Amino acid sequence: MRPLISTTDLAAALAGPDGDRPVVLDVRWRLAGPPGADSYREGHVPGAVFTDLDRVLAGEPGEGGRHPLPDPADLQRDLRAAGVRTGAPVVVYDDADGSVAARAWWLLRWAGHDEVAVLDGGYAAWIAGGHPVSTEPARPEPGDLTVRPGGMPVLDADEAAALARDGLLLDARATPRYTGETEPVDPRAGHIPGAVNAPFAAHTDDDGHWRAPEELAARFADLGLRPGEPVGAYCGSGVTASSVVLALELAGHAGAGLYAGSWSHWSRDPQRPAATGTLPG
């Protein structure tokens, strides 16, 4: 299954035979609200199951960061409750820049489920395409997915630091947070020494559609990525960095590592250095 699916293709799939219809996960979430569950109740793709970032797509915040990876057993329980079945397609969407949907895409891939795609353009594109919406909560048949962690590479802090020296580590945060000019959430400002700033907002256009593979490939080349070079990504808490991993895959660089704890994990340890300014350091 390709990483992206158009609204037209999703509508056609949902109109197909029952056994062939994808499970659709609504993962709308906003740091400053309103809650995604409220948006879901106001309208969603018919049959979509609301899936909360904080409760399902991440574990409890703490030493591992603000959005650490969930416990595999918990994730399996929640994905089964959403109707996810072994080998069956899953489509995920948000209503912003695709980054939360990318986190769901990455997490399912990490869990060993390859049949997953992000809805290109998200909920806004679904509405703009004139497709139907529903206010009825989904009641899926329980799925049977077995979560098998390891389907996508995960970096710990030491591996992220090494990659920043010996490969390419991309920092997905907005430039003022990378430079250390501001840090509204985490304990310290700055970035991992050697990391290159690659704000995740550049992966999508003004309408929320993902940029063409050749555009993304050119962007990563401009950031210094060479063919065959090891590459990974981090952000504030491991969510928006997932969109870097997805963008890299679209650009032909599959298998990028994700530092899941990201800056919210790194900055908790006063022994780990922090670089500031526009240069990697």
Side-chain angles (χ1 to χ4, degrees):
M1 192 171 187
R2 291 178 295 179
L4 297 181
I5 187 172
S6 69
T7 57
T8 301
D9 287 346
L10 175 58
L14 291 176
D18 287 351
D20 296 335
R21 292 175 189 168
V23 172
V24 181
L25 303 181
D26 181 319
V27 297
R28 284 180 280 182
W29 178 89
R30 305 165 195 88
L31 181 61
D38 290 351
S39 299
Y40 175 83
R41 283 188 286 268
E42 292 169 2
H44 52 266
V45 173
V49 180
F50 180 70
T51 306
D52 187 68
L53 169 66
D54 294 312
R55 189 185 66 81
V56 178
L57 305 181
E60 289 290 330
E63 290 300 321
R66 284 186 283 112
H67 287 115
L69 298 183
D71 178 81
D74 293 341
L75 180 62
Q76 177 173 291
R77 178 200 63 216
D78 291 334
L79 291 177
R80 286 184 175 186
V84 179
R85 306 181 306 279
T86 300
V90 177
V91 175
V92 296
Y93 71 86
D94 59 32
D95 62 355
D97 46 40
S99 61
V100 180
R103 167 65 174 232
W105 168 85
W106 184 92
L107 193 63
L108 280 156
R109 293 277 303 272
W110 171 79
H113 191 75
D114 293 334
E115 296 296 306
V116 57
V118 170
L119 181 62
D120 192 17
Y123 191 64
W126 182 262
I127 296 296
H131 301 294
V133 299
S134 174
T135 57
E136 292 296 321
R139 295 179 174 84
E141 291 292 326
D144 62 358
L145 178 71
T146 297
V147 168
R148 296 183 175 88
M152 294 289 273
V154 180
L155 305 174
D156 62 21
D158 290 338
E159 290 166 335
L163 187 60
R165 294 191 306 267
D166 304 327
L168 181 64
L169 181 65
L170 299 173
D171 184 320
R173 296 173 300 163
T175 298
R177 291 185 69 190
Y178 172 84
T179 62
E181 177 183 342
T182 182
E183 180 44 69
V185 185
D186 293 315
R188 288 187 290 151
H191 60 266
I192 297 174
V196 173
N197 194 206
F200 73 94
H203 301 146
T204 53
D205 63 20
D206 292 341
D207 294 325
H209 290 278
W210 290 77
R211 297 191 184 277
E214 57 270 20
E215 290 183 76
L216 294 171
R219 166 174 163 75
F220 291 122
D222 288 344
L223 290 168
L225 181 58
R226 299 183 297 271
E229 181 180 29
V231 59
Y234 78 98
C235 56
S237 67
V239 175
T240 58
S242 302
S243 73
V244 179
V245 177
L246 174 54
L248 283 162
E249 182 153 322
L250 293 172
H253 301 281
L258 176 72
Y259 177 18
S262 285
W263 189 249
S264 66
H265 174 257
W266 181 281
S267 60
R268 295 176 69 90
D269 185 351
Q271 301 302 313
R272 294 198 177 275
T276 56
T278 59
L279 298 177

